[in-house]
């Protein structure tokens, strides 16, 4: 029973990624061709703060939130819901972007 439930989950994930289950199990990865061009090198890390992020959100027209495991572990569902309500009441278009596979964790963000 446990093995079969894993097979069902694998099939659901393949459907979410638009990949054939046989290709995932027996084929190679769908590798994209290597892009040749100038490598910009390492990017510089930029620190931020809560007031700086709050100002960015206030001045934004659209906000995309990608919830993840850290947000779930911090139990930030209620705070995120409140932020979404505040943004929407101030005519800020707030959307949630969910990875087709990682976003399928049962109950991750309720």
């Amino acid at each position: 029973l446990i093995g079969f439930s894993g097979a069902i989950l694998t099939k659901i994930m393949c459907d979410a990624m638009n990949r054939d289950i046989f290709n995932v199990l027996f084929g190679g990865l769908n590798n994209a061709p290597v892009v040749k061009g100038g490598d910009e090198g390492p990017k510089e890390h930029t620190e931020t703060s809560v007031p700086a992020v709050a100002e960015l959100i206030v001045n934004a027209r659209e906000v995309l939130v990608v919830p993840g495991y850290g947000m779930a572990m911090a139990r930030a569902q209620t705070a995120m819901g409140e932020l979404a309500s505040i943004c929407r009441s101030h005519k800020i278009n707030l959307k949630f972007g969910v990875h087709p596979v990682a976003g399928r964790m049962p109950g991750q963000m309720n």
Side-chain angles (χ1 to χ4, degrees), residues 18-85:
N18 295 322
R19 303 251 331 257
D20 183 51
I21 191 167
F22 294 107
N23 180 277
V24 170
L25 295 176
F26 304 113
L29 294 174
N30 290 336
N31 293 331
V34 177
V35 177
K36 296 184 180 186
D39 184 14
E40 297 177 18
K43 307 289 187 256
E44 186 172 331
H45 174 75
T46 305
E47 294 279 333
T48 190
S49 64
V50 173
V53 172
E55 186 175 339
L56 288 171
I57 291 173
V58 166
N59 295 323
R61 289 188 203 157
E62 290 186 327
V63 175
L64 176 67
V65 177
V66 182
Y69 184 70
M71 191 181 287
M73 291 305 294
R75 298 179 185 239
Q77 294 94 331
T78 303
M80 192 67 244
E82 291 171 2
L83 178 63
S85 296

Side-chain angles (χ1 to χ4, degrees), residues 78-98:
T78 303
M80 192 67 244
E82 291 171 2
L83 178 63
S85 296
I86 291 169
C87 286
R88 289 176 178 152
S89 69
H90 287 88
K91 305 281 192 262
I92 298 171
N93 186 15
L94 187 130
K95 295 180 180 180
F96 291 92
V98 181

